[in-house]
């Protein structure tokens, strides 16, 4: 348990540093080339819509997989 307690703060610090680097890079790109922001808006919206679609599809696939792994479905398919 002590290992987890000591590694979680380091992990969170690394996450915060990574996010700060990402936002800094995007900010620098927008500051140097303002047209970059115009390109990022449609790309961001496209990625958001793809995320919504594939998140729903992944949830449905997990549901179908859990149904096919159920004991009732397995015994039914064995009898057929």
């Amino acid at each position: 348990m002590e290992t987890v307690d000591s590694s979680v703060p380091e992990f969170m610090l690394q996450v915060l540093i990574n996010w700060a680097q990402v936002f800094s890079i995007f900010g620098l790109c927008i500051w140097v080339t303002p047209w970059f922001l115009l390109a990022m808006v449609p790309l961001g919206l496209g990625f958001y819509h793809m995320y919504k679609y594939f998140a729903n599809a992944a949830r449905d696939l997990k549901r179908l997989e859990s149904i096919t792994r159920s004991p009732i479905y397995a015994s039914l398919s064995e009898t057929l």
Side-chain angles (χ1 to χ4, degrees):
M1 190 68 174
E2 184 178 333
T3 306
V4 174
D5 290 339
S6 64
S7 65
V8 168
E10 294 174 12
F11 174 74
M12 291 305 293
L13 179 63
Q14 188 64 39
V15 167
L16 289 173
I17 290 171
N18 288 346
W19 276 109
Q21 288 176 344
V22 167
F23 285 127
S24 298
I25 290 169
F26 277 115
L28 184 63
C29 288
I30 291 170
W31 182 60
V32 170
T33 310
W35 293 103
F36 181 76
L37 183 62
L38 292 176
M40 290 308 296
V41 171
L43 283 174
L45 289 173
F47 279 123
Y48 176 73
H49 288 297
M50 286 178 22
Y51 163 75
K52 294 289 283 185
Y53 174 75
F54 285 111
N56 292 337
R59 184 180 59 242
D60 291 341
L61 281 173
K62 284 181 184 179
R63 183 181 56 80
L64 288 173
E65 181 185 14
S66 68
I67 289 172
T68 58
R69 290 180 182 251
S70 71
I72 297 171
Y73 185 81
S75 65
L76 177 66
S77 63
E78 286 177 6
T79 57
L80 294 176

